[in-house]
Amino acid sequence: MDGAMEVYWQAPVIARSTVTAMLLMSAAVHFGMLSGTHVIFHQYFLWKFPPQIWRLFTAYLLTGPQLGLLFDAYFSYQYLSQLERGRYSKKEDLLWYLTFICGTILGVNYITGLGYMTFLHALMISMTYTVVQDQRGMKTNFYFITIPAQLTPYAMIAINMLFPGGAAQIPLQLEGLFAAHLWEFLTKIWPAFGGQGRTLLPTPPFFTTVVNTISGLAGRAAPVVPGPRGAAGGVARGASAGSGPLPDSWRTRGPGHRLG
């Protein structure tokens, strides 16, 4: 148990916190302890008084039922932790990325009138697309075939056609694909070919301020727990956990749910 908790606390903080919230909230919904109507998104709830702004976050945390709860959480952790350890190792940059992606998904969902009320699968496609941009030229296993890594998000979308009700998932995933491609264009493609090296979406200073404030508060509040001492009286420290690879298949992805 101590070893498991040590690995947990040494996991990337944003990925760890997000997936923990995802598991707790989704378990509460799927086991009947919390009504799903309190966490899904609809713009109507934002115009109520007081506005139910938590839905802007919880709509991205609700997983599928049964085994979907575990698999959605697992894959979300894989993608998010790879981003946090890799391209967006600065927490404010990762938070800005997630804010833009989630906001774009909401905007596309509203403009197109698709009516989705939960967006985790769109966010997972976005994160997958961003992760594999840094793996171009590499290969990955998808089901029983080997494909170029950058084709993984497209394969994940196409595979839905093989499952009952899977077609309903595709428009939601396309929202996530569009959001990730727009981010890639504005932050990578445009600076490289037309923007003289300047991104169109620099991280706002507000995010740095928030991260620094939270880090300072957490540092002051964290208790000092002495570890086992060796012969010289030193405190033993754990090693960092490594990141996992991209998933080899999308078999466990259940069909999406369109509400409203």
Side-chain angles (χ1 to χ4, degrees):
M1 179 61 70
D2 291 341
M5 292 305 299
E6 182 179 1
V7 171
Y8 173 82
W9 287 114
Q10 293 191 11
V13 62
I14 295 178
R16 180 187 71 212
S17 302
T18 300
V19 174
T20 299
M22 183 185 300
L23 283 170
L24 293 176
M25 190 196 77
S26 298
V29 170
H30 295 310
F31 287 104
M33 294 177 286
L34 174 68
S35 173
T37 59
H38 296 313
V39 297
I40 60 175
F41 176 82
H42 194 281
Q43 57 269 20
Y44 164 79
F45 297 107
L46 299 181
W47 295 105
K48 295 185 65 175
F49 185 82
Q52 300 180 8
I53 59 175
W54 67 81
R55 295 176 184 270
L56 294 171
F57 306 95
T58 56
Y60 290 91
L61 298 177
L62 187 60
T63 69
Q66 300 175 358
L67 288 179
L69 187 152
L70 297 178
F71 287 120
D72 284 347
Y74 173 77
F75 292 140
S76 295
Y77 176 79
Q78 291 297 314
Y79 307 139
L80 192 51
S81 63
Q82 287 184 67
L83 289 173
E84 192 170 354
R85 287 189 172 109
R87 181 186 286 198
Y88 303 118
S89 57
K90 296 177 65 176
K91 294 179 178 60
E92 55 266 38
D93 293 341
L94 180 56
L95 291 176
W96 173 231
Y97 164 81
L98 292 173
T99 300
F100 178 86
I101 292 295
C102 293
T104 302
I105 291 172
L106 281 179
V108 172
N109 191 68
Y110 176 77
I111 292 171
T112 57
L114 290 173
Y116 289 101
M117 295 184 179
T118 62
F119 306 101
L120 175 59
H121 295 165
L123 177 59
M124 291 172 68
I125 287 290
S126 294
M127 293 189 294
T128 304
Y129 180 91
T130 304
V131 166
V132 300
Q133 296 312 301
D134 298 329
Q135 299 177 350
R136 288 183 173 273
M138 300 175 62
K139 300 289 185 179
T140 188
N141 292 325
F142 189 82
Y143 277 79
F144 305 107
I145 62 174
T146 300
I147 62 174
Q150 65 268 24
L151 296 183
T152 303
Y154 304 101
M156 288 163 55
I157 294 173
I159 203 68
N160 283 289
M161 298 301 296
L162 300 180
F163 299 98
Q169 176 89 341
I170 294 178
L172 175 62
Q173 292 178 318
L174 289 176
E175 291 181 3
L177 186 65
F178 172 80
H181 183 73
L182 180 61
W183 171 270
E184 195 72 14
F185 174 81
L186 296 176
T187 61
K188 296 292 182 181
I189 300 175
W190 171 257
F193 297 102
Q196 299 178 347
R198 291 176 296 184
T199 176
L200 296 179
L201 294 173
T203 302
F206 167 76
F207 285 83
T208 302
T209 301
V210 169
V211 168
N212 291 339
T213 301
I214 294 176
S215 297
L217 293 174
R220 289 196 295 269
V224 177
V225 181
R229 296 184 177 275
V235 178
R237 298 182 182 274
S240 298
S243 60
L246 284 172
D248 289 336
S249 72
W250 198 244
R251 175 186 294 274
T252 54
R253 309 292 320 116
H257 300 280
R258 179 179 176 184
L259 307 179

